[in-house]
Structures are given as structure tokens and as C-alpha cells.
Amino acid sequence: MTGYWWPARPRGWRPPAELVDFLHAGPPPVFIGFGSMAPGQGERLGGLMAAAVVRAGVRAVVHAGWAGLSAAGDDVQAIGDLPHDWLFPRTAAAVHHAEAGTTAAGLRAGVPAVPVPAMAGQPFWAARLHRFGVAPRPLPFHELTAETLVEAITACTADPNHRQRAVELARRIATEDGTAAVLARIGVASDG
């Protein structure tokens, strides 16, 4: 194990002005996104997310993903794909499917998580987030309702220990240079 390999942000990328305005208009929102999970469930999940956001009393940035999530409201901003390394540090917590890449991006950003695993390696990473102390108990996707999501978001954001532990782990991760270690091992010079 050498440490994480981080993707480069697309050259010339700029955040959408509407999203920047939303972020500046209030307290940090909760990110909600499930990546490639739940294709075709966007309408059901969108309604569930919108209800949970209102009940939890938080603002949210909702990533459409393969499910086609959409949610509306004064405290909700829908987004498409954009770099996690830019967005996650600007959030209060990240509700996600606990896939390895999204989990890593959340850890790198120092943001607490609400893991909602469904399949493959997701339960493993969700359990690790909980064990690391950056997340409450995982919320399995098949148990996801507006009520269970409200409980999980509240448990995550109300406990300052989740944020503190996430920040500590982010500091440790920042000292890793996984790609340089690999390049050195295979004999390729790295220019940083």
C-alpha cells in the first residue's frame, strides 16, 4: 500500500456560478449522492432526500448520479458531476454510497460521512468509516427512508467528534504521496 492516487482536476475547470452562490448563501450544506447506484430510482430517492433535508433542518447539494436524483427547494441545490476535492471541503457532511473513491475523497476533505452502502465493497468501506469515527452507524441502502436518513444526518452532524476525527485523518492523508511511491518503486522520476 502506497497511499491514495488522486485524480487531477480537469484543466480550466470552474465551479458553476449557481453552486457558488448557493454555498455562500448559508451554512455549509450536506452533500447527498450515490454515484452509479440506483439507476431509475431518481424520482423516489429525490422525494425521500427532499423530505429528509427539511426534517433534518439542513441545506443540501444533491448529485444526480446514475439514479438521476433531483430535489427542489430553497435549501437544495441539484448538481451534476464535479470534482469532489473542490466540493467536499465546503460541506458539513457527505451522504454517499461508500464506494472506495467517494470514501477516499471524503476522508481527504476531512468531512464526516453518512455511509449508505448497497453492494460489493461498499459495506466494507462503510464499516471502516464508522470504525475510524468519522461516521455514525452505516445506513444500508435497503433501510433508506426519509426518517432513517434524518436520524443518520442528525447523528453525523450533531456529534463534533465525527468532524474532529475526519479532520485528523485528512491531515494524515495529506502527508501521503501514493503516486510518488509507486513511481519511485518502478524507477520513474517524479517532478512532484
Side-chain angles (χ1 to χ4, degrees):
M1 299 296 292
T2 64
Y4 288 112
W5 297 18
W6 303 112
R9 191 178 293 171
R11 181 169 282 162
W13 181 85
R14 298 244 186 272
E18 184 178 66
L19 175 58
V20 172
D21 291 346
F22 177 79
L23 292 171
H24 290 305
V30 171
F31 168 85
I32 302 174
F34 299 118
S36 59
M37 280 182 25
Q41 294 188 44
E43 188 174 322
R44 179 186 75 82
L45 291 173
L48 181 153
M49 301 303 153
V53 165
V54 170
R55 291 181 198 159
V58 297
R59 295 169 7 106
V61 172
V62 177
H63 176 247
W66 288 14
L69 287 179
S70 64
D74 292 338
D75 290 329
V76 178
Q77 177 71 47
I79 61 167
D81 291 335
L82 54 85
H84 290 318
D85 73 310
W86 181 86
L87 178 60
F88 282 7
R90 293 164 170 81
T91 64
V95 177
H96 60 80
H97 57 317
E99 193 56 67
T102 308
T103 297
L107 289 172
R108 180 186 192 193
V111 64
V114 174
V116 185
M119 60 185 187
Q122 296 167 0
F124 169 80
W125 290 111
R128 295 287 292 171
L129 288 169
H130 180 62
R131 195 168 351 170
F132 289 154
V134 302
R137 181 187 69 78
L139 172 58
F141 187 75
H142 68 272
E143 295 178 14
L144 183 63
T145 65
E147 293 76 24
T148 59
L149 185 57
V150 168
E151 291 171 11
I153 289 172
T154 302
C156 182
T157 58
D159 184 347
N161 292 321
H162 293 308
R163 168 72 63 181
Q164 179 182 346
R165 186 66 182 131
V167 168
E168 290 169 5
L169 286 172
R171 284 189 193 122
R172 289 179 57 195
I173 289 170
T175 66
E176 296 179 348
D177 189 349
T179 53
V182 169
L183 292 173
R185 180 77 175 151
I186 61 174
V188 176
S190 170
D191 58 1

